[in-house]
Amino acid sequence: MSKSAQLIDYLMSHREVTNELAAKIDPDHYTFKPTPTSMEAQKLVNHILESTYTFARLANKQEPEKLFDEDDTADLTERAQEYTEATVKLLSKLTDEEFEQTLDVSHIFGKEMTAGQLLNMAIDHEINHKGNLFVYVREMGHTDLPMYVKA
Amino acid sequence: MSKSAQLIDYLMSHREVTNELAAKIDPDHYTFKPTPTSMEAQKLVNHILESTYTFARLANKQEPEKLFDEDDTADLTERAQEYTEATVKLLSKLTDEEFEQTLDVSHIFGKEMTAGQLLNMAIDHEINHKGNLFVYVREMGHTDLPMYVKA
């Protein structure tokens, strides 16, 4: 199994959960935040989707970009679907050799990393914020929540 | 660098944050939970510490054990310190070959895994619940919180 296929499996075992949580958020709750200093629910989901996509762009030596304009009215389910497809497409292009290549991301992270290290960090970042999101969604009244990872 | 040393570095980049959050929880907040169906703060921290230690025991082919009795009055900072030391000690014993060995953990996880796979899953589990904990600690009134991972 290629490194790319392994990484896509690993990402999707978490991304399916991210998307399932996002789908539970009613538009009335998009601006929900558990405390005044917290990120709003909608922003938290977008931050997860955009960050992992950005890491996949960087691993492909592409500049970051957003898939939706500021004023786009797409809901979280549409955004989740589009970002997930675009992220998987980028990851699927990476060869085993490219996973070992060092990327100059020191202007962003303060150090160089291989594409493989960067992408593992991307998934940790998603798991962390998905962990935040579980608490948000429970506070919105949902008690039937998925496991943190899909088998 | 041995696989064991790499994994300890990886775990500690998250465990230091877990412990920093745990230290912010005043005993008056030990039973805090954001919703009636949520885990209490103290139980959440114990669950993180005990789970990662259990995974390290399993990777060493040892049965799970708890380091504190049910009625022990040790606070979260003491528990965090003791579990962290014991976990690192167990991980430091693993040879590179042992990381590749398949463990029969199918009675717990429904499938066999190598020790390396099990330990990576352990860290993902910790990151997920640490992500929950960030929201709890912010709800207790703390706004000066660490990054989700130490550089």
Side-chain angles (χ1 to χ4, degrees):
Chain A
M1 198 177 188
S2 69
K3 285 178 192 261
S4 163
Q6 282 178 49
L7 194 93
I8 290 170
D9 274 2
Y10 177 35
L11 171 63
M12 289 309 297
S13 73
H14 289 286
R15 176 54 62 88
E16 284 182 32
V17 182
T18 302
N19 292 355
E20 192 172 332
L21 293 174
K24 287 183 186 289
I25 305 174
D26 188 274
D28 288 347
H29 283 134
Y30 277 4
T31 58
F32 169 83
K33 49 184 181 181
T35 77
T37 63
S38 302
M39 211 183 285
E40 291 178 358
Q42 183 178 24
K43 288 198 175 155
L44 179 58
V45 173
N46 278 319
H47 176 64
I48 294 172
L49 299 173
E50 288 168 9
S51 299
T52 304
Y53 180 62
T54 295
F55 286 116
R57 297 267 305 178
L58 292 172
N60 276 276
K61 302 195 185 87
Q62 294 174 15
E63 291 297 310
E65 64 161 16
K66 293 194 177 186
L67 296 180
F68 294 88
D69 289 333
E70 285 291 322
D71 57 351
D72 196 294
T73 57
D75 67 19
L76 288 182
T77 300
E78 294 172 83
R79 286 167 190 263
Q81 188 180 337
E82 188 139 342
Y83 269 107
T84 302
E85 280 174 17
T87 303
V88 168
K89 193 171 171 187
L90 278 177
L91 295 177
S92 68
K93 288 183 190 166
L94 291 168
T95 64
D96 278 12
E97 291 68 37
E98 284 174 313
F99 269 80
E100 305 305 327
Q101 282 177 11
T102 300
L103 301 170
D104 181 16
V105 287
S106 50
H107 57 298
I108 308 174
F109 304 109
K111 60 181 176 185
E112 292 184 341
M113 275 184 262
T114 65
Q117 288 169 329
L118 182 75
L119 292 169
N120 275 289
M121 195 180 76
I123 298 178
D124 285 356
H125 178 266
E126 175 147 352
I127 298 170
N128 169 63
H129 283 307
K130 172 161 59 63
N132 303 153
L133 194 59
F134 267 101
V135 183
Y136 280 53
V137 172
R138 194 175 286 277
E139 291 195 35
M140 291 172 194
H142 297 280
T143 54
D144 185 20
L145 301 181
M147 272 274 294
Y148 81 101
V149 65
K150 293 284 179 194
Chain B
M1 200 177 188
S2 69
K3 284 177 192 265
S4 163
Q6 282 178 47
L7 194 92
I8 290 170
D9 273 2
Y10 177 34
L11 171 63
M12 289 309 297
S13 73
H14 289 287
R15 176 55 60 89
E16 283 182 34
V17 181
T18 303
N19 293 355
E20 192 172 331
L21 293 175
K24 287 182 186 291
I25 305 175
D26 188 274
D28 290 347
H29 283 133
Y30 278 5
T31 58
F32 169 84
K33 50 185 180 179
T35 79
T37 63
S38 302
M39 210 184 285
E40 289 179 359
Q42 183 177 22
K43 288 197 175 157
L44 179 58
V45 173
N46 279 318
H47 175 65
I48 295 172
L49 300 173
E50 288 168 9
S51 299
T52 305
Y53 180 62
T54 295
F55 286 116
R57 298 268 303 177
L58 293 172
N60 275 276
K61 302 195 184 87
Q62 295 174 13
E63 291 295 312
E65 64 161 17
K66 291 194 178 187
L67 296 180
F68 295 88
D69 289 334
E70 285 290 323
D71 57 353
D72 196 294
T73 57
D75 67 18
L76 287 181
T77 301
E78 293 172 84
R79 286 167 189 263
Q81 188 180 339
E82 189 139 341
Y83 269 107
T84 302
E85 280 174 16
T87 303
V88 168
K89 194 172 170 185
L90 278 176
L91 296 177
S92 67
K93 288 182 188 165
L94 293 167
T95 63
D96 278 12
E97 291 70 34
E98 285 175 312
F99 269 80
E100 304 304 328
Q101 282 177 11
T102 301
L103 301 170
D104 181 15
V105 288
S106 50
H107 58 297
I108 309 173
F109 304 109
K111 61 181 176 184
E112 292 184 340
M113 273 183 264
T114 65
Q117 288 170 329
L118 182 75
L119 292 169
N120 275 288
M121 197 180 74
I123 298 177
D124 285 355
H125 178 266
E126 175 148 352
I127 298 170
N128 169 63
H129 284 307
K130 173 162 58 64
N132 303 152
L133 193 58
F134 267 100
V135 183
Y136 280 54
V137 172
R138 194 175 287 276
E139 291 195 35
M140 291 171 193
H142 297 280
T143 53
D144 186 19
L145 301 181
M147 270 275 294
Y148 81 100
V149 65
K150 293 282 180 196

